[in-house]
Amino acid sequence: MQIISGAAVAEKVLEECRRDIAELAALGRKPGLAVVLVGDDPASRAYVRSKDKKCRDLGLHSVKLELPATTTQEELLAHVHALNNDPAIHGILVQSPPPKHIDEAAIVRAIDPAKDVDGFHPVNVAKLALEDPTGFVPCTPLGCQRLLIDAGIETSGAHAVVVGRSMIVGKPMALLLMAKGKGGDATVTVTHSRTKDLAAITRAADIIIAAIGRPHFIKAEHVKEGAVVIDVGINRVDDPTTEKGYKLVGDVAYDEVAPKCKAITPVPGGVGPMTIAMLMANTIKACKQAKS
Ligand code: NDP
């Protein structure tokens, strides 16, 4: 059984980023990422800090806008417009979820698609469906695909079952796996909460992508011998034995599923580190594609 180390593959992606950054620097250019946070949700704040730190570690230009929870839709839109027009910024990300009074979909649509490194703008969703390589693909599924490629997992002709249909993970993951080319050409089934007899479907899978948001949901009974399992889930569960009082677990019951697998990602240290690495890669791609 192969444990696919997201940490190791993420480091490889970051090494490629460093090379690209050096090449751009030789041309007098520096990729810039702006991360906008509205409100003081602790988890969101931690994500924003780690993105900012990763940018700075790599030598990217990083702008971190921390706005109060009282920020209005109009004020937030004004910030997005300013970043759209800032030539030093190539990628813009508004951390989700914003406070309830913010219309998130309208904010996403206001971001210049050429700077939408999260890949959530309708133009980029369409480009993914159209297999247009100039588009931006959401970082988490892009990272999952990269993990499969680097682990030497053959996706061509494989039956891949994606559990979850969110716009952030499940749906773009399915589009990537069914696209033509490396890391694609799979036969894809997408399942969700209305799926009947999920276990019968996942048991037919060569590759399972679990993006459900429920701790230890995928059990041994869901997985056939020799399957590849990518666990996207990040769930907090109580654990009084830890200092924080909780631990992070995936959507897959790792201990019972791993022995049946050809390859599996752990949580933590699997998909998680890939997401931020692909965000850096997307920002560099945005810079390369930009005119300035
Ligand atoms: P969402 O809640 O947006 O989507 C969950 C999906 O799972 C939905 O499509 C839902 O179906 C489906 N689902 C829920 N219950 C069942 C069930 N009983 N059987 C089958 N399908 C079910 O979550 P996300 O896609 O945003 O995230 C999924 C997980 O991935 C979470 O744990 C999240 O924390 C993690 N995540 C990790 C990231 C990383 O960097 N590693 C990044 C993003 C997310 P329906 O559509 O019918 O409701």
Side-chain angles (χ1 to χ4, degrees), residues 140 163-166 168-169 192-193 198 211-214 217 232-235 251 271-272 275:
T140 300
V163 191
R165 57 175 165 181
S166 74
I168 297 172
V169 190
H192 45 76
S193 67
L198 179 72
I212 310 152
R214 292 177 174 227
F217 183 84
V232 182
I234 300 180
N235 308 289
D251 288 348
V271 175
T275 298

Side-chain angles (χ1 to χ4, degrees), residues 47 120 139-141 144 162-171 190-195 198 210-215 217-218 222 231-236 249-251 267 270-276:
Y47 284 134
F120 297 158
C139 302
T140 300
C144 293
V162 180
V163 191
R165 57 175 165 181
S166 74
M167 291 306 296
I168 297 172
V169 190
K171 217 175 272 182
V190 181
T191 61
H192 45 76
S193 67
R194 303 296 172 96
T195 297
L198 179 72
I212 310 152
R214 292 177 174 227
F217 183 84
I218 299 292
H222 290 92
D231 187 355
V232 182
I234 300 180
N235 308 289
R236 268 189 189 195
V249 301
D251 288 348
V267 176
V271 175
M274 291 302 292
T275 298
I276 194 157

Side-chain angles (χ1 to χ4, degrees), residues 229-244:
V229 175
I230 304 292
D231 187 355
V232 182
I234 300 180
N235 308 289
R236 268 189 189 195
V237 294
D238 292 341
D239 183 354
T241 67
T242 65
E243 202 178 305
K244 290 177 178 166

